[in-house]
Amino acid sequence: MHLDNIVALNNYLDLTTERKLVPFDPLLLKLMNLRKYDRIFPDYISNYDEIMKAYMQIGKAWCGVAQGKPVCAFGIIPLWKGVAEIWMLTDEELPKYIRTFHRVTKQMFDLFFDEYELNRLQCTVHSLNGHGVKWIEALYFEQEGRLKKYGPDGKDFFMYGRLKNGRHTLIAKSSKSSRPRPRTAQTAKGAGGKSGSKGTRKPGSSAGTKKK
């Protein structure tokens, strides 16, 4: 699967014209009503558009469109061989499409590991973003620490990481005696909260996608 072939990518993800991915453009953010913890970035960073353009130069990015409206934007930024970081910004209307959102992001993260030959995929989530925390943990990311005063709003963020085998080493160690509960759209329903979203280390929330 070539990530630059948007038609093939939509076919692979079983998306239709009503719900599909399109190449990301920072101008699409002006059509979005960003959720609370995603608004922090453009609100506090005056040259945010330029930063987003720079991310696109070193990585790849897409926008999820539903019924003709952009409801999420996300991308991947390779850091060095085997390691990359994801970012995400979401719209207030995302909960209407939460099942599609969750399914597609799960597939995309798996594709990232294959296409970039990753050992590790990481992101950051605002420490007050409970919905974003539930969502990213439902996708087998493990909280690794607190980044104090990391955000542009001066608040703390959590660092999350997911390893190549889909289960973080910390998860594996803590579940030797019990089988881990499957992570499904049901267990990840927290991502549909009205004011939360996945915050990520670069622009925004690493953040939270699924089929209604």
Side-chain angles (χ1 to χ4, degrees):
M1 170 57 58
H2 200 294
L3 294 175
D4 288 327
N5 188 332
I6 195 67
V7 174
L9 184 59
N10 276 301
N11 287 336
Y12 176 82
L13 297 171
D14 195 25
L15 293 172
T16 65
T17 55
E18 293 185 351
R19 300 181 186 183
K20 63 182 179 180
L21 294 183
V22 299
F24 175 72
D25 187 309
L27 292 176
L28 291 171
L29 295 180
K30 299 184 183 302
L31 302 177
M32 297 174 64
N33 180 20
L34 295 178
R35 296 203 280 182
K36 180 178 179 180
Y37 295 107
D38 292 334
R39 290 198 307 269
I40 289 171
F41 295 91
D43 284 353
Y44 281 83
I45 303 174
S46 59
N47 64 333
Y48 193 63
D49 284 355
E50 295 304 315
I51 292 176
M52 297 296 283
K53 291 177 182 178
Y55 290 157
M56 293 172 64
Q57 293 297 316
I58 59 176
K60 299 182 186 299
W62 301 265
C63 187
V65 177
Q67 310 298 329
K69 174 181 171 52
V71 294
C72 69
F74 66 99
I76 180 170
I77 303 170
L79 299 180
W80 44 81
K81 183 176 175 57
V83 180
E85 189 159 300
I86 52 173
W87 60 266
M88 182 172 289
L89 299 169
T90 59
D91 187 89
E92 289 284 2
E93 291 190 16
L94 179 67
K96 294 180 181 180
Y97 314 101
I98 204 66
R99 290 189 180 184
T100 300
F101 172 76
H102 181 73
R103 176 180 64 81
V104 170
T105 49
K106 180 180 183 299
Q107 290 176 285
M108 287 297 293
F109 293 169
D110 289 343
L111 280 175
F112 291 162
F113 273 96
D114 291 339
E115 293 293 314
Y116 286 94
E117 299 182 344
L118 297 178
N119 296 316
R120 170 187 173 84
L121 188 61
Q122 65 184 43
C123 66
T124 59
V125 181
H126 199 291
S127 60
L128 301 179
N129 185 359
H131 295 299
V133 165
K134 290 179 181 178
W135 174 75
I136 201 65
E137 291 181 354
L139 291 176
Y140 295 109
F141 282 74
E142 175 73 9
Q143 186 181 132
E144 299 173 326
R146 178 184 289 263
L147 304 175
K148 295 184 177 180
K149 298 186 181 300
Y150 175 84
D153 59 346
K155 303 297 183 181
D156 296 353
F157 272 61
F158 294 128
M159 170 58 76
Y160 277 89
R162 172 177 160 178
L163 302 186
K164 183 177 181 179
N165 61 4
R167 295 180 60 212
H168 196 284
T169 52
L170 296 180
I171 296 176
K173 288 179 181 179
S174 65
S175 60
K176 286 182 178 179
S177 60
S178 62
R179 189 183 186 91
R181 184 173 54 150
R183 305 298 183 105
T184 66
Q186 287 292 335
T187 62
K189 65 181 180 179
K194 287 228 167 187
S195 61
S197 97
K198 137 117 172 93
T200 62
R201 173 164 168 143
K202 299 283 177 184
S205 89
S206 174
T209 317
K210 311 173 190 189
K211 192 163 184 174
K212 195 165 181 178

